[in-house]
Amino acid sequence: MPPKKGGLRKQQRAGWSLTNIVQEDHAQPIYSISYNFCDLRYKDVFATAGANRATVYECQPDGVIDLILAFVDEDVSGSFFSVCI
């Protein structure tokens, strides 16, 4: 089948909106973020990886983001680059 001529489709509006911004206390880049799409009971839970830690958060209905759990490597020169839930 020959390729279609013309431009790309206009992007559709995202089904989400920004409600909060979190800066972790290490002030280093966050290399990975992963939302839980496996278990609807935890649909508002996500995890991040950056610097020497992996952190788990929960989004509250009022826009607040609660820290649930943080795993910190004692070696401050190390970095976590990926996370999955």
Side-chain angles (χ1 to χ4, degrees):
M1 177 188 293
K4 293 182 179 180
K5 294 182 180 180
L8 299 173
R9 291 183 191 175
K10 290 183 180 179
Q11 290 184 337
Q12 294 181 352
R13 185 176 174 100
W16 55 270
S17 62
L18 178 66
T19 60
N20 204 334
I21 296 174
V22 175
Q23 181 174 356
E24 295 183 347
D25 62 355
H26 56 73
Q28 300 295 315
I30 299 298
Y31 294 110
S32 178
I33 182 169
S34 179
Y35 280 88
N36 176 14
F37 295 113
C38 299
D39 189 336
L40 287 177
R41 294 175 296 174
Y42 305 108
K43 64 181 172 63
D44 297 326
V45 174
F46 68 96
T48 64
N52 64 330
R53 69 179 65 187
T55 312
V56 181
Y57 296 98
E58 182 175 18
C59 300
Q60 300 300 322
D62 60 357
V64 173
I65 298 175
D66 289 334
L67 172 70
I68 296 176
L69 194 59
F71 300 95
V72 181
D73 189 346
E74 292 177 4
D75 180 6
V76 294
S77 66
S79 290
F80 292 112
F81 292 99
S82 64
V83 64
C84 69
I85 293 184

